Amino acid sequence: MTEPTSPYAAPKPDAPDAPASAAPGAGTAPDRKPVTLQRLLDMHAAGEKIAMLTAYDATFAHAMEAAGVDAILIGDSLGNVVQGLQTTVPVTLDAMVYHTECVARARRLAWIIADLPYGTYHESPQVAWRNAMRLAQAGAHMIKLEGGGWTTETVRFLTERGIPVCAHLGLTPQTVTALSGFKVQGKDAESAARIKAHARELVDAGAQMLLLEMVPAALAGELTRALGVPVIGIGAGAECSGQVLVMHDMLGVGGGRKPRFVRDFMQGSASVGEAFARYVADVKSGAFPAAQHTY
């Protein structure tokens, strides 16, 4: 009897149609161990690239792990790609908890990061703590929050109480209206200096990871070399410690204009699992992002 296969399964090591850039067997190697915060810090220090994708349910989380994804982000981008919202602002904490639970049920190896949605950490560090605890109890290993300056004390409050934090600078989708749209941040000397100052403040306050979105590659590279924590890029160049993309974007599904930093990994892939494996391989090798994906 032929063994049934899933359209989400990663390619087998001897698959004849596996692309050259794929990492055969990367997701099924018997020596793979669960990713920890220390492992991510070690990868950054050693220059080993971190492959991260967004996921919102157990099926895709399982497929990503099989393909060798190091970290899974339950992003409030679910408002756009799952709920059909125009922005991430209406996404609720209940929705984030639900989708974090879905991903966590499938997790065996990947590091799980969950977004604190808009309005859930703005009032005070104490409110942020209560809401972050809900995501931690749902299965998140780390929470992510947007913005610098005013968020510094919240990061300190959370990390001192044992909740790892990923800070998010550059384009911050929760405040895209205030930024007058989806525009590259840090292009001039003043805004670049502000991002650098905020990044240093957040790391000094305890942030163990930084996500940079839509910033010039030179600025992201400078911060990656200067900071002692992993810097994950999305439209921030190849020098970052790792990369993240919204799953729906890298699979080429969904409508609307795709940002410059997106690459459709389904093109040339025979399955979703193969697309995930190609993404991991190209992030690890430095083939993605290429010059056309950066600013």
Side-chain angles (χ1 to χ4, degrees), residues 26 32 52-53 58 71 205 263 275:
R32 282 188 68 203
M52 183 188 302
L53 285 171
R263 174 179 155 193

Side-chain angles (χ1 to χ4, degrees), residues 6-116:
S6 165
Y8 306 114
K12 294 183 178 180
D14 58 352
D17 57 349
S21 63
T28 56
D31 59 344
R32 282 188 68 203
K33 297 179 180 178
V35 177
T36 63
L37 180 56
Q38 187 58 55
R39 171 63 180 144
L40 294 171
L41 293 170
D42 290 345
M43 291 173 72
H44 166 70
E48 179 183 350
K49 299 294 186 181
I50 298 166
M52 183 188 302
L53 285 171
T54 68
Y56 316 98
D57 64 35
T59 300
F60 282 107
H62 176 77
M64 288 176 188
E65 283 205 340
V69 169
D70 299 304
I72 295 174
L73 170 65
I74 301 95
D76 58 2
S77 51
L78 66 87
N80 306 113
V81 298
V82 176
Q83 298 176 329
L85 300 171
Q86 293 301 306
T87 72
T88 62
V89 171
V91 175
T92 65
L93 182 61
D94 286 343
M96 292 304 304
V97 167
Y98 170 78
H99 288 280
T100 300
E101 289 173 338
C102 291
V103 170
R105 291 189 189 106
R107 183 264 177 184
R108 296 296 180 271
L109 300 170
W111 182 254
I112 297 180
I113 306 167
D115 272 338
L116 275 174

Side-chain angles (χ1 to χ4, degrees), residues 81-160:
V81 298
V82 176
Q83 298 176 329
L85 300 171
Q86 293 301 306
T87 72
T88 62
V89 171
V91 175
T92 65
L93 182 61
D94 286 343
M96 292 304 304
V97 167
Y98 170 78
H99 288 280
T100 300
E101 289 173 338
C102 291
V103 170
R105 291 189 189 106
R107 183 264 177 184
R108 296 296 180 271
L109 300 170
W111 182 254
I112 297 180
I113 306 167
D115 272 338
L116 275 174
Y118 183 74
T120 62
Y121 57 98
H122 299 65
E123 184 177 349
S124 69
Q126 290 77 13
V127 170
W129 161 258
R130 286 195 292 272
N131 293 330
M133 274 299 299
R134 289 194 61 195
L135 292 176
Q137 290 169 342
H141 303 124
M142 172 180 270
I143 65 94
K144 181 170 74 66
L145 52 79
E146 296 182 4
W150 65 274
T151 61
T152 301
E153 288 310 309
T154 296
V155 169
R156 192 185 316 278
F157 193 90
L158 295 179
T159 56
E160 285 179 348

Side-chain angles (χ1 to χ4, degrees), residues 13 17-18 87 114 151 164 184 189 195-196 202 212 220 224 248 282:
D17 57 349
T87 72
T151 61
V184 179
I195 289 174
K196 287 191 281 188
L202 289 162
L212 292 176
T224 302
H248 294 68
D282 285 0

Side-chain angles (χ1 to χ4, degrees), residues 190-244:
E190 181 180 356
S191 60
R194 182 167 58 251
I195 289 174
K196 287 191 281 188
H198 286 168
R200 173 51 62 189
E201 291 167 0
L202 289 162
V203 171
D204 288 347
Q208 294 100 331
M209 183 180 286
L210 175 67
L211 189 148
L212 292 176
E213 182 168 358
M214 288 185 67
V215 301
L219 173 58
E222 182 179 350
L223 285 170
T224 302
R225 294 187 295 272
L227 300 174
V229 302
V231 177
I232 307 300
I234 177 167
E239 290 189 71
C240 294
S241 313
Q243 302 294 325
V244 65

